[in-house]
Amino acid sequence: MTSRSPNTGQDAASTPDLWSERADMAESAIISRHLRALWAFPGTELGVVGWPATKRERTFGYWHYWWQAHLIECAVDAANRVPTPARRKRISELARSHRVRNITGWTNKYYDDMAWLAIALERAERTQGLTEVRGALVALEKKLYDAWNPAVGGGIPWRLGSDFYNAPANGPAGIALCRLGRYGRAQEISDWLEENLRDADTGLILDGIHLPSGVIERPIFSYCQGVVLGLEVELAVHTGEERHVERAHRLLHAVDAHLTTGGVIHGGRGGDGGLFNGILARYLALAAVMLPGDDRREVEDRQLAATLVRKSAAAAWANRLEVEGEPLFGADWCKPARVPGGSSGAGLFTAGGSVTASKTPERDLSVQLSGWLLMEAAYQVTAAGL
C-alpha cells in the first residue's frame, strides 16, 4: 500500500523525539527493503543497492563499496542515538560483510572509497567500542596517509595511478586522518583544498584538478562542500587555529547562498549522486554541534547550519511516500517522491567507475540512505538544542 503525506512544510514542533521517531522509521525502511545476508553466510548483512532489486543486485554482484560505508555510518548514528544490542550487532555484521564482499581485504584502489570506510569504522570503534575494526583502520590510515603526493604539489588522487586530485577524495581523507590523530597531514589537505579548489566567485569548492597539468574540473557538487566543511570544523576543534573557523564560515554561507532554496538543500539525483545532499547535511549537522567559538558570528553560524538541516529534513519528510507504512524518500527533497515501478534503469557502472541513477532514482539505496542520514542529522541538531 502506497500513500502520500501532505506537504505541510516546516514542522510546527521540531523536537528530538520527533526526529528520533522519523530516524527510526527511515532505519526500518532500509532494513526491510535493502538488508540481506551476504551469500547466505551466517552473521552477515549487507545493503542491496536497489529496490526492487535485480537478480545481480540481490546476489551482490553489484554492491558499491562507498554506499556500504555510509550504511555503516547510518547504523552508527542509530546506535549512538538509541543504543540497543541489535543495533550494535548490526554494525559489526555490516563491517564484517564489507570485508568479505571486498574479497581482497579492507582496501581498494579508490582513495575516496577508503576514506569513507575509514570515517565509518573510526566512529564505530570510538563510539560503539567495535575493537574488531582496529586492523581495518590501521590498513586504511596507511593507504590514505601515504597517498599524499608532494611531487605534484600535494593532494591525494581520486584513485591509484590517476592524475585527478579531487575534493571527494581529499575532503573525507582529511576528516579520517584528523580523527585518527594525523592533524598535520589533515591541515596540509585543508590548505591544499583552499589553494586549489575554492572558487573565487562563489566561495564553493570545485570538483578537482588534474596534476601536474593544472586543468580544473569545475562542476559544483553538494558533497564536496560537506566534506570540506567537515574537515575545517574538525581542524578548528583539534588545532584551535582561526583560519579553519574562517574557512568554515565562508563555506557555510556560500552553501546557503548557492545550494539551498528557502533553507532547503535543493537538487538531487540517484546513483552515486543520491548520497551527495545527505553528506552535506551530515556535515552541516557536525558544524552546528561542533563549530567552536562564542562570538556572535560563530553562534549565528551554528544556528544557520542547524536551520538548513531542519528545513531540509522537514521538506524531505513532507515529500516522502509511505509504502506499506514505511517512508520512501525522494531524490530531490523539494519534490514529491515517486515509487519505483520495477528495476528498470538499474544503476550501472560507467567507464569512469561511478554509478548511474536508476530510471526512478528512489529505488537506489543511495537515495534512501540520504533520507535516513538526514533524519539522523535533524535529530542531532535538535538534541543539541539548535
Side-chain angles (χ1 to χ4, degrees), residues 277-293:
N277 286 355
I279 290 168
L280 174 55
R282 174 179 294 286
Y283 291 107
L284 285 169
L286 182 138
V289 173
M290 286 182 55
L291 185 67

Side-chain angles (χ1 to χ4, degrees), residues 9 26 31 35 49-50 65 77 92 116 119 125 127 169 174 179 220 256 259 318 325-326 344 352 356 360-361 385:
I31 291 169
L35 292 199
V49 298
Y65 182 115
D77 284 337
S92 182
W116 290 122
I119 290 171
E125 181 188 52
T127 67
R179 291 180 180 177
I220 299 291
D256 184 35
L259 298 183
E326 294 181 327
S344 174
T356 62
T360 305

Side-chain angles (χ1 to χ4, degrees), residues 160-281:
L160 186 67
S162 175
D163 76 337
F164 189 48
Y165 291 67
N166 63 356
N170 283 272
I175 293 169
L177 290 169
C178 189
R179 291 180 180 177
L180 291 165
R182 299 281 200 157
Y183 304 127
R185 179 54 47 84
Q187 282 195 294
E188 288 181 302
I189 292 172
S190 164
D191 294 340
W192 182 90
L193 286 160
E194 174 71 17
E195 179 180 346
N196 289 279
L197 295 183
R198 187 181 292 275
D199 179 53
D201 294 329
T202 64
L204 295 169
I205 302 299
L206 302 173
D207 184 28
I209 183 171
H210 295 270
L211 294 173
S213 70
V215 175
I216 294 176
E217 300 284 351
R218 302 192 65 85
I220 299 291
F221 297 119
S222 55
Y223 76 145
C224 295
Q225 321 315 311
V227 295
V228 175
L229 178 63
L231 175 57
E232 299 299 348
V233 171
E234 291 280 353
L235 287 170
V237 170
H238 289 292
T239 71
E241 295 192 15
E242 182 61 28
R243 74 180 188 272
H244 301 300
V245 176
E246 176 61 31
R247 290 173 188 172
H249 168 78
R250 285 190 282 121
L251 185 52
L252 173 60
H253 285 269
V255 166
D256 184 35
H258 299 286
L259 298 183
T260 69
T261 300
V264 177
I265 300 167
H266 60 224
R269 49 186 175 155
D272 281 342
L275 277 162
F276 290 2
N277 286 355
I279 290 168
L280 174 55

Side-chain angles (χ1 to χ4, degrees), residues 69 117 262 353 355:
L117 184 59
V355 178

Side-chain angles (χ1 to χ4, degrees), residues 113-170:
D113 281 4
M114 291 187 282
W116 290 122
L117 184 59
I119 290 171
L121 296 184
E122 188 279 333
R123 283 189 71 216
E125 181 188 52
R126 171 166 46 89
T127 67
Q128 290 295 312
L130 238 68
T131 57
E132 62 261 39
V133 303
R134 172 59 10 208
L137 286 171
V138 170
L140 291 164
E141 178 183 351
K142 178 172 173 51
K143 286 280 190 179
L144 296 173
Y145 188 86
D146 291 347
W148 181 258
N149 188 359
V152 295
I156 292 174
W158 169 50
R159 63 181 176 183
L160 186 67
S162 175
D163 76 337
F164 189 48
Y165 291 67
N166 63 356
N170 283 272

